[in-house]
Amino acid sequence: MTQIGHIVIGLIIVVAAIYLIIFVSQRLTARKVNKLVQKKSQLTEIPMRDRLIKGRQLSLTGQSLKQFQLLETKYNHLEKTEFNSIDLKANTVLFDSQGLNFLKTSQGMKELQRQIREAETTIDVVNQGLNDLEQLDEAHKQAVKDLEAKYQELRKLLLSQNFAFGPAIDKLEEILGSLEEDFDEFSRLTEMGDHATAAGIYETLSMETNQLEQRIEQIPTINTELTDTIPGQLTELQNAYNKMAAEGFKFETNIEKQLANIAEQRQATLELLQELTLKKATEEIAKMKAQTELLYETFDEEAKAAQVVWENNEKLTGYVAQNKRQNHELYARLDRLNQDFVFSKDELGQIRSWEIQLGNNTVNFEELRQHISRHEAVFSTLIGQQEAMITDLKRIAQEQTTMWQAFQELPTVLGQSKKRVTLLADKLRLIQRSFERQGLPGLPDTYLSIFYSVSDELERVKQQLGFSRVNIDDVLRQLSIVTADLDTLQERTDSLIEAATITERLVRKALMYRDNPAVAQSTQQARYFYETSYDYEQSMKTLAVILDQIEPGLTNRVVQQYRQEQATLQAEYLEQE
């Protein structure tokens, strides 16, 4: 095939492709235009004209009528102009699509789509506007009925229960009258169909009506507080104050002035109620209630305090008499005991000190009673003084009782002290016999010093107990010392006898090793400590060192055996007793 043939075939193919593109584009454009035309037809079928005719039947006027006319104008322009413009544009787009000007066709399609959207928007706006006007008309007509019924109910309430609103009734009726005037205007505008203007009035009318209802609900409680509750409390408080003042009660604050202030505050709050200043009135009522409650508490506290004061007076009278009687008895008892005993704690000075303290308390108590009898004292301020005196008198009474018990116990303590001296002397003799039985060659000087010291101490106590007047405190102190020293002597005696006995047993053990030079030397040294210096413990230690080397643990076994024997003897002795 020649080159020309190829070119011809190529041109045919290009032409065919172009034709195919044009054909497909025309078919697609036609389909889109048909859909838009169908949508336009659907919009024309919406019964908007019927809605407009129904809207004219609302008898609209004023701003509402202007709104309706604007909606009607919008729809009329759509119906008479825009729909035809849409049809014209659709035909233009179809015609343009037959050629090769794709750009113009695309722009025409976009314009047609825009017109359809604007038509839809216009219908939505008109439809919604008509709905709003219908609803507003219905709402306003219903509001007229509701408000008319509500105002009739409020007027009836104010007339039938005007006493419940006190000084606020005139202001309430004035507000209700003003609301009824605004209602008449709202009703007239609604009847005329000027709903746009009526809406502004209704918004204010509704808010002020709700506010009036809230006030009508709140005021009776406030009025009751101001005209019934608080006046009743003031009367009750005044009567209580008059009665208590007649009975001699005094108060730290000026009660009459407080009552007058509350009365003035109540009158000022009534004026607030008259002007419908309800929040401020409620706050003032709360303050007055707090003040009256405080006065009730004050009266109650003073009444209770008076009862406590009278009870404390009786207690104080009894305590003063009891303490004086006890002090007198202590004087007499001390005088008798002075014949047999020596006192070292200045008991007489203590009794005189109590007498002075009782005198001061008696003077204070008498001054307090005078204040009460002359009605010069606030009862609640006296309780602290009384309780301080009661505490002081209780302390004195307790101290007096302690001294009296000590006086009562003196003869018994004296007898017990004599018995205790006898027992201690017997114990000392037993100690002496215990080391005498051992047949020891002698006793260390340190031990003898302790023994004779204890013996001398015991003798001094015996001498004191033999005096015509005994110092029991000194006797008890010395007995305590002697007892402790005797216990120490007993321990030293036991240790000394144990050391001497263990030494003797170790010496007998050492004889078994007499051939051992070290043992012989230690035995000789131990004998020196035992027989010459009487240092039995050192003697025992000297033998223990060498013998424990030969027989480990020997000394410990001998000691344990000795102590076991002593424990057995002690147990047998206790059984015999």
Side-chain angles (χ1 to χ4, degrees), residues 440 443-444 447 491-500 536-537:
L440 299 174
L443 295 171
Y447 176 83
E491 292 175 2
R492 293 292 297 273
T493 302
D494 292 341
S495 297
L496 184 146
I497 292 173
E498 179 180 292
Y536 304 113
E537 291 184 1

Side-chain angles (χ1 to χ4, degrees), residues 89 93 96 103-113:
K89 179 58 67 174
V93 172
D96 291 340
L103 179 61
K104 186 176 182 181
T105 301
S106 175
Q107 291 175 345
M109 179 63 71
K110 290 180 181 179
E111 179 66 20
L112 179 61
Q113 291 172 339

Side-chain angles (χ1 to χ4, degrees), residues 272-291:
L272 292 174
L273 176 61
Q274 184 176 358
E275 295 300 320
L276 302 185
T277 313
L278 302 186
K279 183 179 179 181
K280 182 64 176 177
T282 303
E283 293 173 354
E284 292 301 312
I285 288 173
K287 293 178 183 178
M288 286 185 281
K289 292 177 74 172
Q291 293 171 19

Side-chain angles (χ1 to χ4, degrees), residues 62-100:
Q63 290 296 326
S64 297
L65 179 59
K66 291 180 180 179
Q67 290 179 12
F68 175 80
Q69 290 173 342
L70 179 61
L71 295 172
E72 187 176 37
T73 299
K74 280 180 174 291
Y75 184 76
N76 287 338
H77 177 72
L78 175 66
E79 186 179 47
K80 295 177 180 179
T81 303
E82 294 300 326
F83 284 154
N84 291 333
S85 177
I86 290 171
D87 291 338
L88 180 60
K89 179 58 67 174
N91 292 329
T92 301
V93 172
L94 288 175
F95 177 79
D96 291 340
S97 66
Q98 300 299 317
L100 296 177

